Amino acid sequence: MTRDGLLLATAAFAVWALAFVALYGGLSVGCAFGWPAPALRAALLLGFAAALAAGWLVLRRAEACGPGARIAALAGLGASLFTFWPVAALPPCG
Amino acid sequence: MSRGLRLHRALAAVWDTPPGWGRLAAVNHTTIGLRFIAAAAAFFAIGGILAMLIRIQLATPDSAFLGAEAYNQIFTMHGTVMMFLFAIPMFEGFAIYLLPKLLGARDMAFPRMTAYGFWCYVFGGAILIGALVAGVAPHAGWFMYTPLSSGTYSPGINGDVWLLGVTFVEISALSAAIEIIVSILKLRAPGMSLRRMPILAWYLLVTAFMMLFGFPPLILGSILLEVERAAGLPFFDPTRGGDPLLWQHLFWLFGHPEVYIIFLPAAGMISTLLPAFARAELVAQPAIVAAVIATGFLSFGLWVHHMFTVGIPHLALAFFSAASGLVAVPTAVQIFAWIATLAEGRPRWDVPMLWLAGFFAIFVLGGLTGVMLAMVPFNAQAHDSHFVVAHLHYVLVGGFVFPVIAAAYYWLPHVTGRVSDLRLSAPAFWLTFTGFNLTFFLMHLTGLLGMPRRIASYPEGLGWTWLNLVSSIGGFVTTAGLALVAVDLVVQTRFGRRFRRDPWKARSLEWATPTPPPSYAFASLPRIEDRADRTRPRALAARLAAGEGYLGHVRNGWCETLSVDPAGAPTEVVVLPRPTFLPLWTGLATLAVVLALLFKLYVLAAVALAAVVGLFLAWTRATGEAADLRALPIGHGEAAPPHWEAARPPSWWAMALLIAADGTLYASLLFGALFLWLVAPGWPGPAVPDPALPPAALALAGLGLAALAARRAAGALRRGAGPAPWLVAEALGAALAAAALAALALAVPDPRGHALPASMVAILAYAAIHAAIGAILAGYGLARWRAGYVSARRSLDLRLAVPFQAYAAAAGALAIAAAAALPRLAELAP
């Protein structure tokens, strides 16, 4: 893996980690303050969509950086999809 | 005399550790790595004896073998010893011993830090074991949950022993993490680009980064709990605005990555050993690298699965449950790649392979129960039961102990220069394997039948009796097996048959050193033209020993190795320190700080801390030169400057990484304050006034001046002007800021009364300490300038202060903003 490949492989999961912090933090604050469920869910869905979009951008840039970076970028995007899809299915503060 | 022999003698004269008492001055990676391994093995034996005591106690119902208090100390110490004094240091020992040899370097990047880390580890471990012998060992479980571990319920020094002893050991782990990262990123053989690095280096790189970001939350938690116990500032006390859940978050933010910090190096060893025995290249190496990076990140998103039953919204549980299940995927990628490597090659069976087969069986079972525990409904049922104990032993023993024993058999010929007839090895394996499964497989059932962990005794008639008895018998069978392994390794070391080179026909670079390895590892450094796991050690070794590689000479009595850029081009000659007692003295002074804190002798602690700072500054007297040397010949017609004349030498990277770890600790502290604000009972708490304007303004001005002056000092030096006025300004600014921030912290009213003012004091004290360190750095720069070690080319000493002062300024500004914002936020607390 080249230096750029390493950075992009890291970026793919950094997107996941940042999304994790934002969604978990947003959820905790929203629930603690009793924000209306539809508004909180909309905000979380927005965050989820942003994570997927950022992951997809990283994947596009990683295409040119060898198999290691490409696999990591794909895995990062998949991790975001798999970890955060419950925002679309579960009530935020139940 | 041949050229090779002349070179060997010349190199040995500068690299060898002196005999006798001089052995205590060792800084060499081979020596220190082996000492780490030996000490970790000794602690493993202690942890094993404690495990036997536990199994005797639980073998029969209503056992009177140990009292509850002694049992509590023993199970707490078993976990603590195995996690902090065995697993991490054992991996560090392997990494320190192997990394330079795998990378084609002569030593680690900071040999004195290696030695200091070793002393911190041994002294910290000695405090813990000493407390056990004295009957005052920690007794609140290896994860020290509050409020059980708080002063109210653990009033003796037992808890302090854990908090201070483990933090002491963690200094060693953090210094090792920084050293491993810098060594991998900088000290590779010429031509070894990142793409060509050996697979174990990838594993160790990711592991070290995980340590860098994983350990600070626990260090912070330990400091806060110790401050609560010793000074009464409430962070975890729910009656004064604290929350025990904050401890759980901080602990498991470290604790879950810790599992992978232990597993990944072992997995790296497997990825190194398997190709040698499969006689094939590792299959899907890019996918494995991606999987290792994925594991590194994902392991930070699982910590709440240790807290599924504490009451967290279902959606948040879903995140953590999904991430906990997901982490099985990169692990499975590695396991399938290993199986594919075996399928691709022509495997030959040998003792290390026996232990790897044991690893496959045990670790996969542990992984599967891990996926079960990742599911919230099952976790709620099995939580805190012996099922969890069985699971964690399958993962940690399967994922670490078995691969490490395989690795010990694999690399022992490298250490000793001898191979064994291995007659004891097979029975040792089968005893261990059978005993382990007898102990822990049945423990799943004991747990499913409802037996909680950590109970000192249990009544008859619950269906647990025969399971516990068989588990205990299995425990002793395991011990017999492991004792036989120890005997086997000693026999091999003492009586094994000598061999010429590379007995496993491996293709990695460490086998190109002589065996046993000399202190300098390579007489000259190789040039790597292909992947580093495709070398031909036998042919390469002769050329390197004859001095045909890079740095095939001794110059000025220096210990030299090369630093490279990401593409593998040499960038500088790194001059490493020779043996010195300073790491030992510094370690002893640090021990004095810890003991003084333990016995609440705070004046003595302050004096010892000053001694630690003074000794660290004394380390620098042996570094650098008082004249510009410019490019030095390195062989093959190439040249490179010494590291103190280079733009970004290893110490520059170390400073960047130190700031990253430090920033993680600060972020954890800020998170802690916000967590308490959001979650803890008893908020908003008392009214706290805003920070007084004059000291706040002075602090901001001082921090800004220090940061600006640090940049200007380095800039003036580059232009050939004198940096002294700027260095004085830097020192004064930082000292002024430290005093003002300390005044702000001291002015916060009644920090013992509530977590709000306590958090403000902690944040401001953090900023004040950093400003004070900034002042010391500026003073150090001034002293180096006056001593003539600094010039336009030799500007490193001043440049190192630039990022630190910028960080201290940002941290200080944030602290003042937080101190102003927290009382206002508190009024809005939910």
Side-chain angles (χ1 to χ4, degrees), chain B residues 267-314:
Chain B
M269 293 172 187
I270 297 166
S271 289
T272 306
L273 269 64
L274 261 184
F277 291 101
R279 289 181 280 193
E281 283 192 359
L282 186 64
V283 168
Q285 180 160 340
I288 290 182
V289 172
V292 175
I293 293 171
T295 306
F297 275 95
L298 292 174
S299 66
F300 280 90
L302 324 178
W303 83 91
V304 166
H305 79 216
H306 296 271
M307 304 165 59
F308 273 165
T309 56
V310 303
I312 284 173
H314 287 160

Side-chain angles (χ1 to χ4, degrees), chain B residues 122-187:
Chain B
V122 170
F123 295 152
I127 289 175
L128 285 157
I129 302 302
L132 180 67
V133 172
V136 290
H139 52 186
W142 82 271
F143 37 74
M144 289 286 287
Y145 272 2
T146 55
L148 181 60
S149 59
S150 300
T152 312
Y153 301 102
S154 295
I157 66 164
N158 310 55
D160 305 309
V161 167
W162 192 96
L163 295 166
L164 293 167
V166 167
T167 302
F168 195 8
V169 173
E170 281 161 6
I171 297 172
S172 157
L174 261 186
S175 67
I178 291 174
E179 181 153 43
I180 289 170
I181 295 170
V182 176
S183 297
I184 293 173
L185 292 181
K186 294 296 290 178
L187 299 194

Side-chain angles (χ1 to χ4, degrees), chain B residues 489-508:
Chain B
L489 295 177
V490 171
V491 167
Q492 176 178 332
T493 304
R494 185 73 185 79
F495 302 109
R497 179 172 47 81
R498 289 189 183 281
F499 65 95
R500 177 74 185 114
R501 210 183 286 280
D502 192 10
W504 309 111
K505 298 187 175 60
R507 298 186 64 185
S508 45

Side-chain angles (χ1 to χ4, degrees), chain A residues 1-3 6 9-10 13-14 16 20 23-24 27-29 32-33 44 67-68 71-72 79 82-84 86-87 90-92 94, chain B residues 194-195 202 249 286-287 289-290 293-294 297-298 301 303-304 312-316 318-320 322-323 326 566 677-678 828-830:
Chain A
M1 196 179 286
T2 60
R3 187 180 63 173
L6 180 60
T10 308
F13 281 97
W16 172 85
F20 202 117
L23 290 173
Y24 181 42
L27 168 70
S28 303
V29 173
F33 281 96
L44 294 174
I71 295 167
F82 187 76
T83 311
F84 308 130
V87 297
L90 289 175
Chain B
L194 293 176
R195 196 197 288 265
W202 279 109
H249 278 293
V289 172
I293 293 171
F297 275 95
L298 292 174
W303 83 91
V304 166
I312 284 173
H314 287 160
L315 181 54
F319 291 165
F320 288 101
L326 192 62
W677 161 71
L678 192 67
L828 306 172

Side-chain angles (χ1 to χ4, degrees), chain B residues 55 58 385-391 393-394 437-449 451 467-468 471-472:
Chain B
R55 283 321 315 170
L58 295 180
S385 76
H386 268 228
F387 187 92
V388 177
V389 181
H391 157 71
H393 281 86
Y394 263 81
N437 283 293
L438 213 54
T439 309
F440 292 105
F441 191 83
L442 295 182
M443 209 177 276
H444 291 106
L445 306 179
T446 325
L448 290 176
L449 286 171
M451 182 169 171
L467 290 167
N468 273 303
S471 276
S472 293

